[in-house]
Amino acid sequence: MGSTVEKQSSNLCHEDGDAEACSYAIQLATSSVLPMVLQTSIELGLFDIITKLGQPSVSEIASHLPTNNPDAPFMLDRMLYLLSTHSALSCSAIGSDGGSQLKNAIIGGGIPFNRVHRSHAFEYPGKDPRFNQVFNAAMFNHTKIIVSKILESYKGFENFTRVVDVGGGVGTTLSIITSKFPHIQAINFDLPHVIEHAVAFPGVEDVGGDMFESVPKGDAIFMKGILSEIPEKGAPEKAISQTDLLMMTQNPGGKERTRQEFLDLAIGDGFSGIKYEYCVSCYWVMEIFK
């Protein structure tokens, strides 16, 4: 297939004034993350360790904690990055569910969410109908705003006849896509407890399953809000850093990725490269191709 490729259609990155507002909305939606990280940093004595050592590496900081957890430096690095975006590491110090277990997860390993609920974040909505309903409603409203905005300019679905949305929720994304491109046969794929509440949309077939086992075949398979990128300095930085910590405390292996990490991930799975096709309100459409 030739050399690996990373492309960016910069002319399609619209800074239409929505990015700042979208970033602030994300900060509000993940606002529990910052106090969670601050509380855990105080409980672990991170500020005292940093003050004592000067400018230590995360490995040096971890070595001063009572832990044998190999992931501790990695977790600390992401916490300290968030604190740095709020200038919390450059000032003088005067003496959620997952957050209450973040310290224990750093010291003893594991995922904070799992420690609290004895279930991982993908299973839990199936056990809590109220939470499942609230979560699905939030995803519906968020999707309607973002996807509608993207499709105002992005034409990447025009030439596909069968499209699979992995983690498609109640089918909102595909309903918007098929309303604009009615020739598409759409497959909405998600966990069974999510598909139970899917809405019947014309041209959309709902399929329950587990993406870690297999996914339906299609001309294109896409995921929204599952693969996320660490931005350059600016408005989205705090929002994405908070989202990164939220993912770390709730999902196994959950993290935001740099562009190089995305490229490495794509190449490692047999793809040829990535094209950054379109950007709106802090969200990139990334095409990973064979």
Side-chain angles (χ1 to χ4, degrees), residues 26 30 33 36-37 74-75 77-79 81-82 228-230 237-251 253-257 261:
I26 295 173
T30 60
V33 172
M36 171 186 71
V37 170
F74 182 57
M75 299 173 75
D77 185 53
R78 293 160 72 178
M79 290 171 55
Y81 177 78
L82 172 62
S228 302
E229 178 195 3
I230 297 176
E237 188 179 18
K238 291 179 182 178
I240 298 302
S241 181
Q242 287 181 190
T243 305
D244 178 60
L245 266 295
L246 191 65
M247 293 170 67
M248 184 183 80
T249 58
Q250 294 189 357
N251 300 311
K255 59 175 290 187
E256 304 289 348
R257 290 177 170 83
E261 287 175 324

Side-chain angles (χ1 to χ4, degrees), residues 159-175:
N159 298 321
F160 296 126
T161 58
R162 182 179 171 89
V163 173
V164 181
D165 183 0
V166 177
V170 297
T172 309
T173 298
L174 287 176
S175 73

Side-chain angles (χ1 to χ4, degrees), residues 15-269:
E15 290 299 335
D16 53 7
D18 288 345
E20 188 80 28
C22 184
S23 296
Y24 188 57
I26 295 173
Q27 288 184 58
L28 292 177
T30 60
S31 59
S32 63
V33 172
L34 181 59
M36 171 186 71
V37 170
L38 279 170
Q39 176 185 339
T40 301
S41 299
I42 293 169
E43 291 176 345
L44 291 172
L46 297 187
F47 298 113
D48 292 335
I49 294 173
I50 293 171
T51 300
K52 179 180 179 181
L53 298 181
Q55 294 183 323
S57 67
V58 288
S59 295
E60 290 175 317
I61 296 173
S63 70
H64 284 70
L65 300 176
T67 176
N68 293 317
N69 177 17
D71 292 330
F74 182 57
M75 299 173 75
L76 293 173
D77 185 53
R78 293 160 72 178
M79 290 171 55
L80 294 174
Y81 177 78
L82 172 62
L83 293 176
S84 71
T85 68
H86 290 270
S87 301
L89 299 179
S90 58
C91 59
S92 299
I94 302 177
S96 83
D97 288 341
S100 65
Q101 285 289 334
L102 180 55
K103 173 187 175 183
N104 293 335
I106 292 173
I107 299 299
I111 302 170
F113 186 95
N114 297 19
R115 284 174 166 266
V116 173
H117 297 287
R118 301 186 183 277
S119 171
H120 64 65
F122 294 114
E123 292 177 335
Y124 182 73
K127 299 179 179 181
D128 186 339
R130 186 202 65 81
F131 176 82
N132 191 44
Q133 182 180 8
V134 171
F135 180 81
N136 288 339
M139 291 299 98
F140 173 87
N141 292 312
H142 177 268
T143 295
K144 190 172 182 180
I145 295 170
I146 298 300
V147 176
S148 296
K149 191 71 175 177
I150 287 174
L151 292 184
E152 288 179 4
S153 300
Y154 178 67
K155 308 299 181 184
F157 293 104
E158 285 182 337
N159 298 321
F160 296 126
T161 58
R162 182 179 171 89
V163 173
V164 181
D165 183 0
V166 177
V170 297
T172 309
T173 298
L174 287 176
S175 73
I176 299 172
I177 292 173
T178 54
S179 67
K180 190 175 181 67
F181 305 103
H183 68 279
I184 290 179
Q185 177 189 3
I187 307 296
N188 179 44
F189 183 73
D190 212 314
L191 292 167
H193 70 259
V194 178
I195 294 299
E196 285 180 8
H197 300 280
V199 181
F201 293 109
V204 179
E205 177 186 356
D206 298 306
V207 178
D210 185 345
M211 68 177 180
F212 295 111
E213 295 181 359
S214 64
V215 299
K217 294 182 179 180
D219 300 327
I221 296 174
F222 75 92
M223 296 179 287
K224 181 188 70 65
I226 295 178
L227 300 177
S228 302
E229 178 195 3
I230 297 176
E232 299 297 329
K233 302 290 185 182
E237 188 179 18
K238 291 179 182 178
I240 298 302
S241 181
Q242 287 181 190
T243 305
D244 178 60
L245 266 295
L246 191 65
M247 293 170 67
M248 184 183 80
T249 58
Q250 294 189 357
N251 300 311
K255 59 175 290 187
E256 304 289 348
R257 290 177 170 83
T258 64
R259 292 194 173 188
Q260 184 58 51
E261 287 175 324
F262 271 126
L263 187 60
D264 293 343
L265 187 66
I267 300 306
D269 283 332

